[in-house]
Amino acid sequence: MRDDGRVRLAGRYAMVRNSWRPVARGELRPEGTGCRLTGTLRAPLPVLIFSAIWLGGVGVFFLIGLLATIAGLATGHAREAGGPAVVAAAGLGLFGLGAGLVGVCFALGRRDGDFLLDWLAGELEVVGYGGPSRSRPPE
């Protein structure tokens, strides 16, 4: 915790690196005889921005290749449409790779948020905390 009351918590596993793991960022504010912790629990903002730029970029890559292929076929230049078709296929493949990676990494870190909330509740005297089980998907 810093002097201004802001805190940052991230769950980690030994020898495992997951940039998409949830990070708790918050602020402790005095309230009555105790304090209130307010904040967010999400993947780090730079990782979310990078993921959006990557998926958006390869999505545009795919669309440009697809439109060039359609334009080539529509104008009767079927031979020349092969190059843009490869570009479209590469864009689609890169999009699938990126989306799959993001999905797997989010799935690997999906219980980290519950761990952080449970750890905080165990370390602090918590009033009104119902536990993360309210947001857990049924197993």
Side-chain angles (χ1 to χ4, degrees):
M1 182 168 74
R2 297 169 22 169
D3 291 337
D4 60 359
R6 291 187 293 179
V7 293
R8 180 181 184 274
L9 298 171
R12 298 195 186 236
Y13 299 102
M15 299 178 8
V16 174
R17 175 78 175 135
N18 183 359
S19 295
W20 286 267
R21 76 187 183 286
V23 175
R25 290 181 186 265
E27 185 175 359
L28 289 169
R29 296 182 182 164
E31 185 175 286
T33 60
C35 63
R36 177 180 293 270
L37 174 64
T38 57
T40 61
L41 179 65
R42 62 171 169 74
L45 187 59
V47 172
L48 296 176
I49 290 171
F50 174 79
S51 299
I53 290 171
W54 170 265
L55 293 173
V58 296
V60 168
F61 193 67
F62 166 71
L63 288 176
I64 289 172
L66 182 65
L67 292 175
T69 302
I70 292 171
L73 292 173
T75 58
H77 298 96
R79 281 194 159 177
E80 291 83 16
V86 171
V87 171
L92 185 61
L94 288 171
F95 186 86
L97 177 70
L101 178 64
V102 169
V104 166
C105 289
F106 270 122
L108 289 174
R110 79 183 162 118
R111 296 211 186 268
D112 291 355
D114 292 346
F115 166 76
L116 290 173
L117 293 175
D118 284 340
W119 181 83
L120 274 172
E123 294 297 314
L124 304 173
E125 183 181 328
V126 179
V127 178
Y129 174 68
S133 60
R134 295 176 297 175
S135 62
R136 277 192 193 144
E139 295 183 27

